[in-house]
Amino acid sequence: MPDPRPDVLPTRLLAESRHVGGPGCSVELGASRVDEGSLRYRYAIDEPPPGHAPPPIVIDLEPSAEAWRDFRSALDALGTWSWGPEHLPAAAAAAPPGPGHAWFFAVTWDGRVLDTGGWSAYPGSDGSPEPSRAFIEWCRAVRALAGGRPFA
């Protein structure tokens, strides 16, 4: 697939990652209302100790055209557009969800639409609780788009 056009940005983007008992973060397009192509990055402790709940960190970002091109190229190279809608561990039918990692990604970009997510299972891992290479690289791409801020 050819490189995405540099002037075309997504019209929808939400990437979320939450660890039960640990941190959660999200990157959302247009939530800041600063400018077209702006992002709102949010990082929070999911379950802080009683009486020690710091407020979430919320930062409005404006990625460069190059950062957007790199992100789109990463999505294309990882085959993200073919990820299924739901990723669950192989043992999900036998036991209720317990501690783990929830993630979600929704994007609409230049006519392509993707809504995907999972619970302690990842694209390309056949239900394994270990993050797949594709998922790890996707997290790196989101992190880079967010200016290197934590995301996973």
Side-chain angles (χ1 to χ4, degrees), residues 1 8 13 20-21 32 42 47 50 52 54-55 64 72 92 94-95 103 130 133 150:
M1 173 173 231
V8 176
L13 185 144
V20 174
S32 68
R42 181 180 174 92
E47 296 177 18
H52 299 285
S64 67
R72 175 59 190 261
W103 63 276
E130 294 300 317
R133 182 198 64 77

Side-chain angles (χ1 to χ4, degrees), residues 17 22-26 41-45 54-59 149-152:
S17 175
C25 45
S26 67
Y41 171 82
R42 181 180 174 92
Y43 181 89
I45 295 175
I57 297 168
V58 179
I59 302 170
R149 289 166 180 83
F151 186 89

